Amino acid sequence: MLEKMEKCGRQEDLMQFIHQDKVQYDINKFDDRMENLRRIRETRERQEEEAMWECLTKVQWEKEAAAKAAADNEKIAAALAEKEKEKERKEQLLLRIRDESEEIRSLLERLRAAQMNKERALQTEEKRLLLKQEEEVMAAYDNMMKEEQERAERLHKEKELQRRLSNIAVRRQQEEQMEERVKRQKETQEEHERERKAVEEIVAQVEMEERMEYQRKREKQEEVRKFIEFYLEQREARREAEARRMKEEEDQIAEYNALLDKRLEAQKVKRRERTAEQEKVQAIISAIKEAEERKRTAFACHPACSPCRSFLLV
């Protein structure tokens, strides 16, 4: 029985070891899958971060260009406003002088014409300068956008190359992991097969021992059953013999009781006869005493009385 319990314990330990090995294999498989997902997520986050940084750089450059253009426009507007104020001041001065002298008015007319011509020339030159400045700004902006586009293309190509290299490395790593996993799975299956065969052998041995133990129990039960039947037969025989003995004893007791009853009845008859004789003797004694008492009474009454004398004589 102890050997059977030890074998059952070893079988349970073996099954528990197989179960733990399978659980460990599943855990390793889950860890590999989570590691691949983590690498893919880190690569995607790094790409998103680079794209966001590129977008922020572009937005910052556009803000700086817009601020610079706004500052230039403010300077131009301030210069134009100053010129407009100077023009108004000169016109007011000319109006005041014109009102004072005809010659001056004539000179002012010619001066105004010259100024208008000069202003037209200045406006034309200013427009030309503004156009030139705008063209330079646009050219610089185009060059910067071209450089930015070229840099973005180079960065995109580098990222694409890096992504391809990363994909190749990841694919190669996945292939290696797959080969390692297949190899490990094959080894695990072989180990499981060996363990299964060992367990089957142990189970077969345990089953054979259980069958032998069951056979021994059946034989033992058969022996016990036969012993119980023999014991019951013997007990029934003893019970019948005891019943016969009790019947004989009861018959003897009944016979003894009958004999005893006869003896008691005879004794009762003798006692009744003895009592009757005693009563008869007692009656005679009483009669004698009574007669003697009458005699004494009669003698005491009159000795010469004939009846008394005759009675005394009697």
Side-chain angles (χ1 to χ4, degrees):
M1 189 65 182
L2 292 174
E3 293 179 356
K4 181 180 178 181
M5 292 176 66
E6 290 177 357
K7 290 180 180 179
C8 291
R10 289 196 298 271
Q11 183 179 1
E12 291 178 357
D13 294 338
L14 185 59
M15 296 301 293
Q16 186 177 4
F17 173 76
I18 294 171
H19 178 68
Q20 290 178 355
D21 189 15
K22 185 177 180 182
V23 171
Q24 186 65 35
Y25 172 73
D26 294 335
I27 292 173
N28 294 332
K29 184 177 180 181
F30 178 76
D31 292 339
D32 294 338
R33 186 166 63 253
M34 293 301 295
E35 182 67 20
N36 293 330
L37 291 175
R38 185 183 64 79
R39 290 176 180 175
I40 294 171
R41 186 176 65 255
E42 289 179 354
T43 303
R44 185 171 62 252
E45 290 177 354
R46 186 167 57 253
Q47 292 176 356
E48 291 177 355
E49 184 178 358
E50 291 175 355
M52 184 177 65
W53 179 254
E54 181 180 356
C55 182
L56 290 174
T57 304
K58 184 177 180 181
V59 170
Q60 185 67 25
W61 181 84
E62 289 178 354
K63 286 183 178 180
E64 292 177 356
K68 185 177 180 182
D72 294 337
N73 291 330
E74 288 179 358
K75 289 180 181 180
I76 293 170
L80 291 174
E82 186 65 28
K83 287 182 180 181
E84 189 67 26
K85 289 180 180 180
E86 183 67 23
K87 181 180 178 181
E88 290 178 356
R89 189 170 58 253
K90 287 180 179 180
E91 286 180 354
Q92 290 177 1
L93 180 61
L94 289 173
L95 287 173
R96 190 172 63 252
I97 295 171
R98 186 187 60 185
D99 294 336
E100 294 177 356
S101 173
E102 184 66 28
E103 185 178 357
I104 292 173
R105 284 197 299 271
S106 177
L107 290 174
L108 289 174
E109 289 292 338
R110 284 183 291 177
L111 181 60
R112 185 184 301 164
Q115 287 178 350
M116 290 180 64
N117 292 330
K118 185 178 180 180
E119 286 178 0
R120 290 192 187 95
L122 288 174
Q123 289 178 358
T124 303
E125 183 65 20
E126 186 177 356
K127 288 181 180 180
R128 187 181 65 78
L129 291 175
L130 289 174
L131 289 173
K132 184 178 180 182
Q133 186 178 3
E134 185 176 357
E135 289 176 356
E136 290 177 355
V137 171
M138 292 302 295
Y141 180 76
D142 291 338
N143 290 330
M144 185 175 62
M145 290 299 294
K146 185 177 180 181
E147 291 177 358
E148 185 67 22
Q149 186 176 3
E150 291 176 355
R151 188 178 68 83
E153 289 178 356
R154 286 196 304 273
L155 183 62
H156 179 70
K157 289 180 180 179
E158 291 176 358
K159 289 181 179 179
E160 185 67 21
L161 180 60
Q162 185 177 2
R163 186 182 65 81
R164 290 180 180 178
L165 293 175
S166 178
N167 290 334
I168 292 172
V170 170
R171 191 180 300 109
R172 186 175 300 168
Q173 185 178 4
Q174 289 178 351
E175 290 176 355
E176 292 177 356
Q177 290 178 355
M178 184 62 70
E179 292 177 357
E180 182 67 23
R181 190 178 296 111
V182 171
K183 182 179 178 181
R184 187 169 55 190
Q185 187 175 5
K186 184 177 180 181
E187 292 176 354
T188 304
Q189 290 178 354
E190 292 176 354
E191 183 68 21
H192 286 174
E193 186 66 22
R194 289 194 297 270
E195 292 175 353
R196 186 182 62 80
K197 290 181 179 179
V199 171
E200 288 179 353
E201 292 177 357
I202 294 172
V203 170
Q205 185 176 0
V206 171
E207 289 178 352
M208 183 179 67
E209 292 178 355
E210 288 179 351
R211 286 195 298 271
M212 294 175 66
E213 183 68 20
Y214 177 74
Q215 185 65 27
R216 286 195 295 271
K217 286 183 178 180
R218 289 294 301 273
E219 293 176 355
K220 186 68 176 178
Q221 289 175 356
E222 186 66 21
E223 292 177 359
V224 172
R225 187 184 63 79
K226 291 180 179 180
F227 176 76
I228 291 172
E229 290 179 354
F230 176 75
Y231 172 75
L232 292 175
E233 291 176 356
Q234 293 294 323
R235 188 180 67 177
E236 184 66 21
R238 288 195 300 271
R239 189 173 62 80
E240 291 177 356
E242 185 68 18
R244 287 193 299 270
R245 187 181 64 79
M246 292 294 293
K247 183 69 170 56
E248 292 176 357
E249 289 180 355
E250 289 176 356
D251 293 340
Q252 292 176 1
I253 291 170
E255 185 178 355
Y256 174 76
N257 289 331
L259 181 60
L260 185 61
D261 291 338
K262 289 180 180 180
R263 289 179 181 178
L264 290 175
E265 187 65 26
Q267 290 177 359
K268 287 180 180 180
V269 172
K270 289 180 179 180
R271 280 197 300 271
R272 284 196 298 271
E273 291 177 353
R274 190 181 300 112
T275 302
E277 290 178 356
Q278 289 177 356
E279 289 177 353
K280 188 183 291 185
V281 171
Q282 188 69 27
I284 293 170
I285 293 171
S286 296
I288 293 171
K289 287 181 178 181
E290 186 178 354
E292 289 178 353
E293 184 66 27
R294 282 197 304 269
K295 285 179 180 182
R296 284 193 301 269
T297 303
F299 183 77
C301 178
H302 197 283
C305 184
S306 57
C308 294
R309 190 170 54 249
S310 61
F311 178 76
L312 290 172
L313 290 175
V314 174

